[in-house]
Each structure stands twice: as structure tokens, then as C-alpha cells.
Amino acid sequence: MVKPSLALGAAFAGALALACAPIEGPVTVEALVSDPDAEGGARLDDVELQTVEDLRTGRGSNFDVVGGLRMIGDQVLAAGSGADNDEELVERARATGGWHDINAHLSFDGQRWVAEDFQTLTMFSAFAGLERAWRYAEEVGDDSGATGQPALVGLEASTVLSGDLPINLMTSDNAAYAVPLDSWLLLRVVVQDGVPFAMSGDILAHEYGHRFFHKNVYDDEQAFTFFKKRFVDMSAAELRATVISQGVDEGLADLFSLGVTGDVHGVPGVFEAAGLLFASESGRRDLEGAFADAATYQNLRDLTLDGEMLDGCGASTQDELFSQGSFNFYCLGTVLARSLWDASERDVEVLRGEVQPALRRALSRMGESIGATGDFDVDLLLEPVAAELPPGARRDAACAAFRDKFGVLVDEGKVPTCS
């Protein structure tokens, strides 16, 4: 018979070992998840995290959630202008390090791990949202680009002007994918209402969409030469091409989010609930709203869209809108996303099963075209998307959507598959 003192000692030792052991996936946590039917568009729910390697420190097989991550402006510019490819860019931009393991505050209630502070709840929710987006990327055919290498997730991250002059540029109320660091920056909440962007499944999926775009387009080293122009002084033509590519990137990120969540009103709903300055962006990001109905490539470019809508897109002179420094390229992104949503006949399963896989393949082809021409306009995406869709109903729907929103490019013969 074991003496009581020895039994207590053994139990204590076992509990201590459990406390020190990594909490590996699959593991159930309580996280904030998107729910269009819930008040505010989200609710707390049990989520099983698959890729966690140590929940306490935020480590995972696909990405690590870390603290202290900063994007330093002058170092990023130097890395971008000097790198020859994407891998070298990330290596140079991350060279100064500075991030560290987090220390999650959590407890086990017998069924799930529960966050004991807001930062840990943010980590649980971000981990869940990014895991879901990662799985979707795999499901639509990404087997090496956005799912090829582990990434970082910066909890309460920041961006600063320079290492020597650490003036804050962005510290709150945002979530972003930082290409040079191959990292998602999750910023703290200060003024926004609603679901924090860093905890919103809709926004996290959008930000994952930027990695999906970048890793599938700029893996071509010649295409990367086009990308890195944004780190140096550009000519007017180069600036126009870069701004249009940024609009395409944003529109595809919104479409990617729609594919992940199945909620066409998810991203605009988050902005509307955020209030203040964020709410004004909601209408321009609604793929079934008045702006998406009215806007086209041509009436944006030529300033013939309704004046109030143009004001929201940054029109400040009578020059072509895409060449204006004030142009809000998200407006062009909505035109593209709406076009591809129409190509999917506004059916989430068609988007997931047919259009998004074709789009993934088209991104690689687009990268090759960018590398060959050193230039960019939307037709370099529209043509391979149309060509990647099988002849018949789906291609016909896509070409009809492209004629509706990008008719001038189709009429000029720049999308030959739709001619």
C-alpha cells in the first residue's frame, strides 16, 4: 500500500510534469469565430487547433505566434531594394530579429483551454482563423506557394520608421500581412468598435489572401523584379502598374475571405461594425452593394463614375484615376472581386470548387507574364483565369462578367479567350 505522503508527492510530480509539457494539437480552445447570424458577427465557440506544437508559447508547425515583432521601415526598404528574390527579401528584413515567444495565460476547464486575458484570446482566435484560411488554400490547390513555408504572426505588433528613430507608424486597430517579414501583424485595439480586426475570421482570411497572392505570383524571379520596384523611386508608368497590381491583390484577398468564410457580407460587415473612419470603407467593399453594382474599370479610370463614389476612390484631378497618387486602389479591387463573384454565379460552392482553383493556377501564369513584360494591367490576370476555366458554362459566365466590368480590355482584344 502506498503511503499518503508518497501518493501526494507522485500526484504533485505528475501535475508539474503536465504543466511543463508542451500542449500539442489537436487541442480544443475557446476562441472568437465569425458567425453572420450572431450579434456583432462573431461568437465564442470551441475550436480544435490542429497545427499547434506548444499552445503556451504560440508555436505551431505552420506559423508561430510571437511577441515583440516590429516592421522597421528603413530596414525593409533596404532589404527590398537589395534582394534578388522573395526568400532573400524575407531573410534580410528579418535579420534584426527582436521577436520572442509569448507566454499565454490559460486554464483547462475539463473540456477546453480557456484564455485568461485578452491577449491570449486574441492568440487563440488568430490561430483558429489563420489555420482555417491555410486549409482553404490547400483545398483550392495551393501545395507550395502560400502553404509551403512556415510564417510568423506578430501579436500586438507594430511598424516603426527606422531602427535609429523608432517613431511609430502603425500600432493599433489593424491586421496586416507584411510581405517583407512573411508575417501577419496583429495590432492591439484602441479606438475601433465591433470585433477586433486581429480576431476577425473575415479579416484574418483576407490577410491570408495576401500571402496566397504574393507567394503564387512573385515566386517567379523576373516577376519579383517588378514587385521590388515599389521599394525605390518609380516612373509614372511603373507607379500606375504597381497601384493596379495592389488593387488586384486587395480584391482577390476579399474574394479569398469570401471563399474561406462563405459570407459575402463578412468583410464589409466587420468594417461597418468597427465604426469611426472604418465604416466609410464598408460600402465600397460590399460585393453586392451599390458601389460594386455601378463601378467598372472604365468608369473608374475615365472618371465617369458617379461623383460621390469617385470622391471615395480618391479622385483629385482630371487625370486618369489609376495614375493619381490619391487613388484608393481598393475600389478597383472591388470591381475585380465582384467580377469573379459574378463568374461564380454568386454561389460559394462554385467559387470554392471551380473559380478559386482556376484563379490559383492563373496567378502563376500571371506572374510569368509580369516577368516577361515588366508591366501590369488587369488583363494579365483576366486572360489566364478565363483560359483555366473549362469551355462551356463556367468560362461563358466568366467572360460575361469580364465584359461587364472590364469591357474596354476585352474589346481591345487583351482577353483573347473571351473574344
Side-chain angles (χ1 to χ4, degrees):
M1 181 176 179
V2 179
K3 295 181 180 180
S5 59
L6 294 178
L8 287 172
F12 177 78
L16 185 62
L18 180 63
C20 295
I23 304 171
E24 299 177 297
V27 59
T28 300
V29 302
E30 184 181 59
L32 197 65
V33 298
S34 298
D35 182 352
D37 297 324
E39 183 177 357
R43 58 181 167 79
L44 288 171
D45 200 0
D46 291 353
V47 179
E48 187 174 81
L49 305 182
Q50 299 288 331
T51 62
V52 171
E53 293 182 340
D54 188 352
L55 189 64
R56 289 189 184 86
T57 61
R59 295 204 171 269
S61 56
N62 290 341
F63 47 81
D64 293 334
V65 183
V66 300
L69 184 64
R70 294 194 307 169
M71 186 162 71
I72 303 173
D74 58 352
Q75 294 179 15
V76 164
L77 289 175
S81 59
D84 291 327
N85 53 57
D86 188 56
E87 292 76 13
E88 187 179 342
L89 168 63
V90 175
E91 182 180 357
R92 288 180 178 224
R94 287 187 181 182
T96 55
W99 61 85
H100 54 79
D101 287 346
I102 63 170
N103 180 22
H105 294 86
L106 44 80
S107 60
F108 190 68
D109 69 0
Q111 295 181 314
R112 67 189 71 79
W113 290 96
V114 179
E116 295 183 338
D117 60 21
F118 189 77
Q119 186 183 69
T120 302
L121 180 61
T122 301
M123 189 269 280
F124 286 178
S125 303
F127 215 110
L130 290 171
E131 263 201 354
R132 185 182 184 190
W134 192 294
R135 287 195 301 269
Y136 177 70
E138 292 174 332
E139 289 165 3
V140 299
D142 187 299
D143 58 2
S144 61
T147 60
Q149 296 294 325
L152 292 176
V153 183
L155 197 60
E156 297 189 357
S158 63
T159 64
V160 298
L161 183 63
S162 74
D164 295 330
L165 190 63
I167 297 174
N168 290 326
L169 299 177
M170 185 172 67
T171 61
S172 67
D173 303 298
N174 207 345
Y177 174 64
V179 167
L181 297 176
D182 191 18
S183 307
W184 291 282
L185 310 182
L186 308 181
L187 279 60
R188 59 196 177 91
V189 175
V190 175
V191 299
Q192 74 155 110
D193 295 324
V195 177
F197 297 141
M199 300 170 72
S200 165
D202 301 287
I203 300 300
L204 291 164
H206 170 97
E207 297 306 333
Y208 192 98
H210 287 310
R211 191 183 204 233
F212 186 84
F213 179 87
H214 182 82
K215 295 296 186 182
N216 283 294
V217 174
Y218 297 115
D219 59 338
D220 180 284
E221 290 196 10
Q222 289 181 295
F224 183 80
T225 300
F226 169 85
F227 171 78
K228 64 184 283 187
K229 290 177 181 178
R230 66 192 63 194
F231 297 104
V232 299
D233 292 334
M234 291 183 282
S235 68
E238 289 170 339
L239 179 60
R240 180 186 188 275
T242 295
V243 167
I244 290 176
S245 73
Q246 290 173 307
V248 167
D249 188 358
E250 294 296 344
L252 295 184
D254 276 357
L255 192 75
F256 188 90
S257 178
L258 169 54
V260 172
T261 68
D263 183 6
V264 69
H265 301 297
V267 168
V270 173
F271 281 115
E272 183 176 10
L276 299 172
L277 299 176
F278 309 107
S280 63
E281 190 70 8
S282 176
R284 288 188 292 273
R285 303 285 284 278
D286 184 350
L287 300 190
E288 296 180 350
F291 177 82
D293 288 343
T296 68
Y297 176 94
Q298 186 167 1
N299 66 24
L300 280 175
R301 185 194 67 181
D302 299 341
L303 306 177
T304 56
L305 182 63
D306 175 79
E308 186 175 344
M309 290 183 177
L310 274 178
D311 290 342
C313 293
S316 57
T317 72
Q318 293 304 306
D319 298 328
E320 180 205 68
L321 182 57
F322 303 156
S323 298
Q324 296 183 32
S326 56
F327 174 46
N328 176 0
F329 50 75
Y330 286 86
C331 292
L332 181 59
T334 295
V335 173
L336 175 63
R338 166 60 178 268
S339 184
L340 291 165
W341 182 227
D342 286 344
S344 306
E345 298 183 26
R346 304 193 187 184
D347 185 315
V348 171
E349 294 311 314
V350 173
L351 172 63
R352 291 168 172 166
E354 299 181 56
V355 174
Q356 191 83 65
L359 179 58
R360 205 241 31 103
R361 298 189 297 271
L363 289 177
S364 296
R365 294 178 57 179
M366 185 181 84
E368 293 171 1
S369 296
I370 291 172
T373 63
D375 198 6
F376 184 76
D377 208 333
V378 186
D379 55 279
L380 294 191
L381 174 66
L382 300 182
E383 169 54 24
V385 169
E388 286 290 345
L389 291 168
R394 188 58 49 229
R395 182 184 289 177
D396 291 346
C399 287
F402 296 165
R403 292 188 191 97
D404 180 40
K405 293 298 186 184
F406 299 93
V408 63
L409 298 178
V410 177
D411 291 344
E412 291 173 355
K414 294 181 177 179
V415 191
T417 298
C418 293
S419 297

